[in-house]
């Protein structure tokens, strides 16, 4: 049966039943939850993507710094940003490049470029560049629990690096640390290496300043142009950049080998064999500036009398009439030509002390002004007068080809006139230049002046000696550590020798002259007003020097007694028979490998934590380990033998290694040394 409704009647809409209302609410709530979940997931996904931007291989970037881990997940390098925090929203990553364009202080150019040059090495190129003139870029690198090596020669030298107190960043430029004890030394590179197999090399373009805080175990790396001798490249604004390369490897030895091969030049040849084999004899400590013809003749006669061999004799300070003259004082050396002829006939080769200064009382001072051969004051109009340890004068501008040619021509004339073999190039540090100066060729990095000075030694490389080194590893001559005082300690004393030689070795300088045996013998350095070093100190010093790449007498053994003469003869002969053949073999390999001749103990045992801290032993190559006595009054010492089989100089065989030999007896006329047994 059907029911029909009239057309003008509208059906009444039924209200949902009470049972349906909760169901509809639940559906609506579910839809809201779903929308919220989708929004949250999108936000979370975006956050994940941003988090990925903050990672690049084993480096984790945060707004206030970054950490680098090794393959085992251990943090081996940690840096904090001090110039501001990165705005991570401005960061992006494409391939191996992570870039950011803003910090909380404004626009910048920051990037980290990741490269993996070999399976065991991961490297990161880091750059922070500001776009505000005369601002500062500063980062803090933490030592953490690692041991660090490298940097620069210092007045107080430790191995590994041990810095005290707090030091605001100061220009990392060459300086004479004998005269300016709180400065960085004359041999330096922007390179540091850690026992955790991390290494850092600061780029050459950085106006680099270095400071530290020993309390928080950190180094401050700073780039700035204001209030400093660094200058921006010609035509470029003074926008500082802090850029460097950090590489992480499997162990400290292998990462150092990689860094040296990648970033350092190598010597192209080796110096004269006789400089490795026989002692050098300097007139300095015995005669100081009072050297003259009669004293030089007596000096050579005594070398023969006491039956010592001689690589060459070094005539030191004040053989000329004035500083800046290139000839002998006719009063002090009335028959110089005949004297040198006789010395040559007797088999003596001679080198002369040289320096970059021309004092105002030298005849060459007027020549230098007329030809504009000197470093000038900032306006570039007048020569910059400088004060050095021997007076006041001008300093030759080795960026000027005319000054270089004039200096070289005078040296060659001396060599020709007197049959001079080579020269000892003293000074050359930036500390003897005004803070603001003008050079023929503008220098963004003032230490390049030191590099230009060392280049003067190239024509005379076989017996040449320089005491500044900056980007100069390819100059194949001996680099001399700064003068030592006649004392036992770590401040320019006997204990500083091994740490200094190891540091310079790690900076890529294999041919090292550890200065004169016994030190300068100044009365204020010996403590007793004597003209010669303490006898025991002198003996221990000469024993150590016999195992160095070069050995130099200045205070002669015959100033003491027969026993000292015999000890000196014994170690000179040991050097000739045992040490020199190994030195010469290693010197020949340096031109290919860049590996140091004098090596730390960890070189052959890079994972040995005990070896990382040893500062009183060293290796010559991989096979000869030397452990000299460096303590006053001692005739024994502790000796650490790393893993391997070792035979002592006494004939003892040690196989259960590593081992610490406590109170190992070493007589006054002995050095403990050990040969590796294959």
């Amino acid at each position: 049966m059907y029911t029909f409704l009239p057309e003008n009647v509208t059906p009444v809409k039924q209200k949902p039943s009470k049972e349906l209302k909760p169901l509809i609410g639940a559906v609506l709530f579910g839809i809201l939850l779903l929308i919220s979940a989708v929004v949250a997931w999108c936000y979370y996904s975006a956050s994940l993507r941003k988090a990925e931007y903050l990672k690049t291989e084993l480096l984790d970037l945060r707004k206030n710094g970054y950490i680098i881990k090794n393959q085992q997940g251990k943090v081996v390098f940690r840096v904090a940003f001090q110039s501001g925090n990165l705005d991570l929203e401005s960061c992006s990553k494409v391939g191996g490049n992570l870039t950011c364009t803003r910090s909380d202080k404004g626009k910048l150019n920051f990037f980290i470029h990741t490269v993996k040059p070999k399976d065991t090495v991961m490297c990161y190129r880091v750059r922070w560049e500001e776009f505000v003139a005369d601002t500062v870029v500063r980062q803090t690198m933490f030592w953490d629990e690692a041991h660090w090596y490298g940097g620069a020669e210092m007045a107080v030298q430790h191995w590994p690096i041990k810095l005290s107190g707090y030091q605001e960043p100061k220009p990392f430029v060459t300086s004479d640390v004998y005269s300016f004890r709180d400065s960085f030394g004359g041999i330096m590179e922007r390179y540091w290496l850690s026992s955790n197999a991390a290494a850092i090399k600061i780029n050459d373009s950085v106006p680099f300043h270095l400071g530290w805080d020993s309390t928080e175990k950190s180094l401050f790396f700073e780039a700035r142009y204001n209030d400093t001798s660094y200058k921006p490249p010609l035509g470029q604004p003074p926008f500082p950049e802090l850029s460097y390369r950090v590489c992480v490897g499997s162990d400290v030895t292998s990462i150092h080998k990689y860094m040296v091969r990648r970033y350092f030049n190598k010597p192209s040849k080796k110096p004269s064999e006789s400089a490795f084999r026989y002692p050098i004899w300097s007139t300095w400590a015995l005669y100081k500036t009072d050297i003259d013809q009669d004293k030089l003749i007596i000096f050579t006669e005594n070398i023969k009398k006491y039956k010592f061999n001689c690589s060459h004799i070094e005539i030191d300070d004040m053989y000329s009439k004035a500083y800046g003259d290139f000839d002998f004082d006719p009063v002090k050396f009335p028959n110089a030509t005949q004297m040198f002829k006789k010395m040559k006939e007797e088999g003596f080769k001679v080198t002369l002390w040289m320096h970059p200064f021309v004092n105002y009382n030298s005849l060459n001072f007027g020549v230098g002004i007329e030809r504009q051969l000197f470093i000038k004051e900032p306006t570039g109009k007048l020569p910059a007068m400088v004060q050095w340890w021997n007076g006041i004068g001008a300093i030759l501008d080795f960026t000027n080809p005319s000054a270089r040619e004039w200096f070289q021509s005078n040296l060659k004339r001396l060599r020709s006139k007197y049959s001079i073999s080579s020269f000892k190039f003293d000074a050359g540090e930036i500390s003897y230049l005004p803070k603001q100066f003008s050079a023929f060729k503008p220098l963004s990095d003032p230490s390049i002046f030191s590099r230009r000075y060392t280049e003067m030694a190239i024509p005379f490389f076989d017996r040449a000696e320089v005491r500044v080194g900056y980007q100069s590893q390819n100059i194949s001559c001996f680099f001399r550590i700064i003068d030592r005082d006649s004392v036992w300690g770590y401040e320019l004393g006997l204990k500083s020798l091994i740490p200094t030689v190891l540091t310079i070795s790690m900076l890529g300088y294999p041919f090292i002259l550890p200065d004169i045996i016994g030190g300068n013998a100044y009365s204020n350095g010996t403590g007793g007003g004597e003209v010669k070093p303490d006898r025991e100190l002198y003996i221990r010093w000469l024993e150590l020097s016999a195992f160095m790449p070069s050995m130099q007498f200045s205070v002669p053994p015959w100033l003491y007694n027969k026993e000292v003469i015999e000890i000196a003869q014994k170690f000179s002969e040991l050097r000739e028979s045992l040490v020199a053949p190994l030195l010469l073999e290693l010197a020949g390999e340096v031109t290919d490998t860049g590996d140091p001749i004098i090596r730390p103990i960890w070189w052959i045992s890079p994972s040995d934590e005990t070896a990382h801290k040893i500062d009183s032993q060293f290796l010559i190559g991989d096979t000869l380990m030397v452990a000299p006595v460096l303590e006053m009054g001692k005739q024994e010492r502790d000796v650490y033998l790393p893993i391997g089989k070792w035979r002592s100089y006494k004939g003892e065989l040690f196989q259960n290694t590593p081992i610490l030999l406590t109170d190992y007896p070493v007589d006054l006329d002995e050095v403990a040394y050990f040969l590796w047994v294959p």
Side-chain angles (χ1 to χ4, degrees):
M1 181 178 180
Y2 300 96
T3 301
F4 294 94
L5 296 176
E7 293 181 359
N8 59 349
V9 177
T10 302
V12 178
K13 187 174 181 181
Q14 291 187 340
K15 294 182 180 180
S17 66
K18 292 182 179 180
E19 292 79 5
L20 289 177
K21 287 182 179 180
L23 179 62
I24 293 171
V27 170
L28 292 174
F29 183 68
I31 292 171
L32 287 173
L33 283 177
L34 179 62
I35 293 171
S36 299
V38 170
V39 170
W41 175 252
C42 292
Y43 180 81
Y44 179 62
S45 297
S47 298
L48 280 178
R49 287 195 294 273
K50 178 59 67 178
E52 289 173 357
Y53 294 155
L54 302 180
K55 285 183 175 289
T56 174
E57 295 294 341
L58 300 175
L59 184 148
D60 293 346
L61 177 66
R62 297 291 179 261
K63 65 180 181 179
N64 59 351
Y66 65 87
I67 62 172
I68 299 176
K69 300 176 183 178
N70 61 15
Q71 296 287 352
Q72 290 72 45
K74 177 182 178 181
V75 175
V76 295
F77 195 81
R78 185 163 66 97
V79 163
F81 302 143
Q82 305 295 333
S83 307
N85 291 327
L86 289 176
D87 178 358
L88 298 183
E89 294 299 323
S90 73
C91 300
S92 61
K93 182 181 177 186
V94 178
N97 289 320
L98 192 159
T99 62
C100 304
T101 58
R102 291 193 309 273
S103 73
D104 58 0
K105 295 184 178 180
K107 183 180 176 183
L108 85 161
N109 174 24
F110 176 86
F111 76 76
I112 298 175
H113 176 63
T114 306
V115 292
K116 191 172 184 180
K118 51 194 298 188
D119 290 341
T120 57
V121 176
M122 184 75 74
C123 292
Y124 305 89
R125 290 175 53 217
V126 182
R127 178 187 178 99
W128 181 304
E129 182 183 14
E130 292 282 353
F131 296 113
V132 177
D134 294 328
T135 189
V136 175
V137 181
R138 182 164 164 178
Q139 297 177 8
T140 298
M141 184 197 81
F142 296 94
W143 309 345
D144 292 327
E145 299 308 313
H147 302 290
W148 285 85
Y149 317 93
E153 179 184 24
M154 305 282 278
V156 180
Q157 197 91 49
H158 292 280
W159 178 273
I161 294 171
K162 186 188 298 181
L163 300 171
S164 60
Y166 180 91
Q167 174 62 57
E168 275 294 316
K170 55 186 178 181
F172 193 71
V173 296
T174 59
S175 182
D176 173 2
V177 290
Y178 193 83
S179 299
F180 308 99
R181 298 286 172 111
D182 293 330
S183 300
F184 304 112
I187 301 177
M188 59 163 41
E189 298 295 334
R190 304 168 167 199
Y191 171 68
W192 288 267
L193 172 75
S194 91
S195 57
N196 280 341
I200 180 170
K201 176 72 168 62
I202 308 292
N203 287 358
D204 296 343
S205 57
V206 176
F208 183 55
H209 297 65
L210 180 69
W212 59 83
D213 185 340
S214 62
T215 301
E216 68 170 16
K217 296 183 178 180
S218 62
L219 293 179
F220 305 139
F221 297 152
E222 186 175 277
R224 62 180 166 90
Y225 287 116
N226 59 315
D227 190 30
T228 181
S229 53
Y230 288 101
K231 302 296 178 188
L234 211 57
Q236 295 187 20
F239 297 159
E241 66 162 83
L242 182 56
S243 56
Y244 49 87
R245 291 162 170 79
V246 180
C247 293
V248 177
S250 56
D251 63 72
V252 60
T253 304
S254 63
I255 194 62
H256 176 69
K257 287 185 176 184
Y258 169 78
M259 297 296 284
V260 167
R261 286 158 175 73
R262 178 68 180 83
Y263 297 116
F264 290 162
N265 292 316
K266 296 188 291 291
S268 58
K269 56 194 80 171
K270 65 182 178 182
S272 169
E273 287 194 9
S274 68
F276 291 97
R277 195 177 298 278
Y278 308 124
I280 299 166
W281 296 82
S282 167
T283 65
W284 169 247
L286 187 59
Y287 301 118
K288 299 296 192 294
T289 59
D290 292 330
I291 185 64
D292 60 31
Q293 183 169 315
D294 292 338
K295 290 172 182 172
L296 181 60
I297 291 172
I298 293 172
F299 196 52
T300 60
E301 288 176 347
N302 279 326
I303 293 172
K304 292 187 296 181
K305 174 182 175 181
Y306 293 103
K307 297 181 173 57
F308 284 101
N309 284 322
C310 174
S311 170
H312 54 272
I313 290 178
E314 194 173 80
I315 302 176
D316 213 284
D317 193 350
M318 210 57 220
Y319 56 83
S320 59
K321 190 173 182 179
Y323 294 109
D325 295 351
F326 290 88
D327 211 335
F328 286 85
D329 182 344
V331 175
K332 284 187 164 189
F333 294 86
N335 300 300
T337 303
Q338 188 63 33
M339 178 191 69
F340 283 116
K341 182 181 178 182
K342 186 174 185 296
M343 289 178 67
K344 184 177 181 181
E345 291 171 353
E346 293 176 348
F348 287 106
K349 295 186 180 296
V350 179
T351 66
L352 292 182
W353 177 75
M354 196 54 60
H355 54 84
F357 306 103
V358 179
N359 278 11
Y360 67 89
N361 61 334
S362 168
L363 294 176
N364 285 322
F365 186 75
V367 175
I369 290 179
E370 181 183 351
R371 300 188 185 182
Q372 301 190 48
L373 304 178
F374 299 137
I375 288 286
K376 297 179 180 178
E377 43 79 44
T379 67
K381 295 178 180 178
L382 297 172
M385 299 301 288
V386 300
Q387 184 170 4
W388 61 299
W389 67 88
N390 276 333
I392 296 175
I395 186 166
L396 289 164
D397 182 357
F398 294 104
T399 73
N400 184 344
S402 296
R404 293 162 67 93
E405 193 279 329
W406 182 80
F407 188 71
Q408 288 276 1
S409 65
N410 278 289
L411 299 187
K412 290 174 181 176
R413 182 184 54 79
L414 272 171
R415 181 174 64 178
S416 175
K417 183 176 180 180
Y418 299 111
S419 297
I420 299 299
S421 294
S422 189
F423 300 91
K424 169 186 174 178
F425 294 86
D426 213 352
E429 298 91 351
I430 299 308
S431 53
Y432 290 109
L433 291 175
K435 185 175 181 179
Q436 301 297 332
F437 63 89
S438 173
F440 180 85
K441 184 176 181 180
L443 298 175
S444 298
D445 180 352
S447 290
I448 294 298
F449 174 85
S450 297
R451 157 76 195 188
R452 296 290 170 258
Y453 179 51
T454 58
E455 290 170 351
M456 297 297 96
I458 292 175
F460 316 99
F461 79 95
D462 61 338
R463 285 182 171 81
E465 168 190 328
V466 298
R467 81 172 198 189
V468 289
Y470 180 71
Q471 302 178 15
S472 304
Q473 293 90 344
N474 64 315
I475 297 176
S476 305
C477 64
F478 277 95
F479 285 79
R480 176 176 69 88
I481 68 176
I482 199 67
D483 302 42
R484 305 286 116 170
D485 285 324
S486 300
V487 296
W488 289 89
Y490 285 102
E491 183 174 349
L492 299 177
L494 177 60
K495 286 184 181 178
S496 72
L497 281 185
I498 295 174
T500 304
V501 170
L502 288 175
T503 297
I504 294 171
S505 292
M506 289 294 104
L507 299 180
Y509 297 92
F511 309 135
I512 302 171
L513 177 60
D515 202 46
I516 54 181
I517 291 168
N520 268 326
Y522 292 130
S523 58
N524 62 353
T526 61
E530 306 226 0
V531 296
K532 59 181 184 287
D534 170 77
R535 176 177 173 273
E536 182 188 4
L537 174 67
Y538 182 83
I539 291 171
R540 292 307 192 189
W541 206 305
L542 82 84
E543 291 169 347
L544 168 56
S545 295
F547 292 87
M548 287 292 171
S550 189
M551 180 180 187
Q552 187 177 45
F553 284 107
S554 194
V555 173
W558 53 83
L559 288 190
Y560 295 90
N561 57 16
K562 182 181 178 182
E563 181 187 16
V564 175
I565 294 170
E566 290 174 349
I567 293 173
Q569 290 168 337
K570 170 185 173 179
F571 279 93
S572 296
E573 291 167 2
L574 180 66
R575 178 180 183 84
E576 289 181 39
S577 61
L578 174 68
V579 182
L582 182 55
L583 291 174
L584 288 166
E585 178 186 346
L586 294 165
E589 296 173 359
V590 160
T591 56
D592 294 323
T593 66
D595 290 345
I597 293 175
I598 303 299
R599 302 171 183 177
I601 301 301
W602 54 249
W603 187 267
I604 57 172
S605 190
S607 299
D608 187 336
E609 294 185 5
T610 300
H612 293 160
K613 298 177 286 186
I614 291 177
D615 70 344
S616 62
Q617 298 175 216
F618 61 94
L619 290 163
I620 304 176
D622 291 344
T623 59
L624 176 57
M625 184 171 63
V626 186
V629 172
L630 306 174
E631 298 276 354
M632 181 172 61
K634 296 287 187 179
Q635 295 200 28
E636 68 282 324
R637 62 155 295 162
D638 293 348
V639 177
Y640 183 72
L641 298 178
I643 192 166
K645 190 186 296 185
W646 298 92
R647 189 177 300 280
S648 78
Y649 67 107
K650 300 176 183 179
E652 308 147 306
L653 184 64
F654 298 93
Q655 300 185 73
N656 297 323
T657 55
I659 187 174
L660 178 65
L661 308 176
T662 57
D663 294 330
Y664 186 78
V666 187
D667 290 343
L668 184 60
D669 65 342
E670 294 180 324
V671 167
Y673 64 88
F674 302 79
L675 290 165
W676 182 72
V677 180

